[in-house]
Amino acid sequence: MAASEFELIETYFSHTGGPREDVVLGVGDDCALLQVPRGQLLAVSIDTLVEGIHFLARTDPEALGHKALAVNLSDLAAAGATPAWATLALTLPESDTAWLEAFSAGFTALAERFGVQLVGGDTTRGPLTITVQVHGFADPARVLRRDRACPGDRIGITGSLGDAALALKLSAGVGSAVGIDRALADRLHRPLPRIDEGRALAGLARAAIDISDGLMADLGHICSQSGVGAHIYTDLLPLSGAVAAHIKETGDWSIPLTGGDDYELCFTARPQLTGKIEAEMHRLGCGFSWIGEIEKQPGIRCQGVSGDLLKGMVGGYEHFGTP
Ligand code: ADP
Ligand code: MG
């Protein structure tokens, strides 16, 4: 079934999340009118998912609705910000109500979980493209940035690394995620942004980033923007049973080191604060690991179990990179 643009907005996107008291005017007018709390910074981030680049045509629309919001909330998490509002620009090849209903359900469930209200957007016709912008609040004295790491800092990681990349690898060629473990598939299709962990780390961690393009690439951003380097140890990397088994079988460390889409937080902290951070993560029930240290010497050195440095573990996905 098809719906007109206005019916579509009214039906699927007018009452998503909220209502929040700081939304003076939401969907339906020329502009949303929003109240930022006094003394807080407005933290803003935007991400686009393009069919054929970020997801395949057959991807479950409910999972897409979830993921489009989740990847944005993950950026707020990396800033230690508290989510508040979202806007959504949807480009659709057709107004397919079954697709819209499922997409909206996935988006709404995650929005409600984190108290986010959808306050506006744009709806156009064309190749399937989903752009979400999120807005959150951050305490200026505690907000987390990429450019604050210092030599001597410990490097921490929430959760585990490589699950999404392994799920992608195992589902490629097979034609669907059928046959791979549900929990592993969820790590790829339904990542959970580390909002509570980011807020807990604000004021404790020195620098932070969310891992969307792989540990080496994203820790690399912290290093280059902070003017430092890093030394990490593969035997300290947090791995799920599935990823550990895959490495045992193949000897391939690229899954946790350069695989993307995990949306875990990578952060650095002065050694004196490690105990406090461990206590906070324990309070939140979040598994986490110290995987190495920040050093003066630029670049990332990745030490394997044998003590040798691994070679060739660089990169991450780059849209305009040469193949
Ligand atoms: P305008 O022409 O003034 O830009 P639109 O017709 O594009 O307005 O949109 C009408 C209202 O619906 C606006 O408030 C806009 O923010 C909202 N809107 C449009 N598309 C979406 C969407 N996909 N999700 C949420 N709100 C939307
Ligand atoms: Mg418009």
Side-chain angles (χ1 to χ4, degrees):
M1 258 244 327
S4 79
E5 181 187 333
F6 296 106
E7 281 167 358
L8 181 165
I9 295 167
E10 171 58 30
T11 309
Y12 300 107
F13 302 115
S14 290
H15 310 283
T16 300
R20 292 177 57 101
E21 285 191 351
D22 50 18
V23 177
V24 178
L25 201 52
V27 170
D29 213 303
D30 294 313
C31 294
L33 301 176
L34 309 165
Q35 188 72 58
V36 180
R38 191 178 292 273
Q40 299 273 294
L41 295 175
L42 181 63
V44 180
S45 184
I46 188 166
D47 263 305
T48 294
L49 300 182
V50 180
E51 185 181 278
I53 305 282
H54 302 95
F55 62 93
L56 302 171
R58 62 173 179 268
T59 305
D60 172 4
E62 191 270 338
L64 267 184
H66 174 104
K67 190 163 179 175
L69 181 58
V71 301
N72 276 278
L73 291 178
S74 178
D75 285 319
L76 290 182
T82 302
W85 315 307
T87 52
L88 167 67
L90 259 187
T91 302
L92 303 167
E94 58 191 338
S95 84
D96 172 345
T97 51
W99 190 95
L100 281 161
E101 194 153 333
F103 176 87
S104 158
F107 189 101
T108 303
L110 191 65
E112 285 176 350
R113 178 171 178 156
F114 288 107
V116 173
Q117 184 172 342
L118 182 63
V119 296
D122 200 19
T123 308
T124 51
R125 189 172 197 145
L128 183 57
T129 306
I130 304 156
T131 299
V132 175
Q133 184 170 46
V134 287
H135 309 75
F137 309 138
D139 179 338
R142 298 161 66 92
V143 66
L144 297 171
R145 312 166 41 138
R146 297 177 178 185
D147 60 357
R148 293 291 192 264
C150 293
D153 282 3
R154 306 279 301 279
I155 302 168
I157 303 276
T158 61
S160 59
L161 292 176
D163 296 318
L166 182 60
L168 185 65
K169 186 170 183 172
L170 295 182
S171 59
V174 178
S176 76
V178 176
I180 71 166
D181 185 61
R182 174 68 199 262
L184 195 63
D186 276 354
R187 291 279 285 155
L188 175 62
H189 297 296
R190 291 181 179 74
L192 271 182
R194 295 286 191 184
I195 293 293
D196 295 337
E197 291 79 4
R199 291 183 58 189
L201 288 169
L204 290 177
R206 198 129 57 173
I209 191 167
D210 65 319
I211 303 179
S212 54
D213 296 333
L215 175 65
M216 295 299 273
D218 290 318
L219 177 57
H221 293 315
I222 286 188
C223 289
S224 56
Q225 293 187 31
S226 301
V228 295
H231 193 114
I232 61 174
Y233 304 85
T234 56
D235 57 332
L236 298 181
L237 294 181
L239 307 178
S240 65
V243 171
H246 177 80
I247 293 172
K248 203 165 174 208
E249 202 177 300
T250 61
D252 177 12
W253 280 92
S254 70
I255 289 277
L257 285 171
T258 65
D261 259 6
D262 280 321
Y263 300 99
E264 296 294 353
L265 298 180
C266 172
F267 56 91
T268 84
R270 63 191 83 204
Q272 302 89 304
L273 288 178
T274 53
K276 259 195 181 152
I277 289 174
E278 283 161 21
E280 280 296 293
M281 293 297 134
H282 184 74
R283 176 180 68 80
L284 293 169
C286 175
F288 98 108
S289 316
W290 299 112
I291 62 158
E293 297 95 33
I294 295 293
E295 296 177 335
K296 262 193 199 143
Q297 188 193 343
I300 303 177
R301 287 152 295 283
C302 180
Q303 186 172 325
V305 188
S306 64
D308 295 342
L309 294 182
L310 271 63
K311 297 229 158 45
M313 291 297 172
V314 287
Y317 191 75
E318 224 276 73
H319 285 269
F320 297 102
T322 39

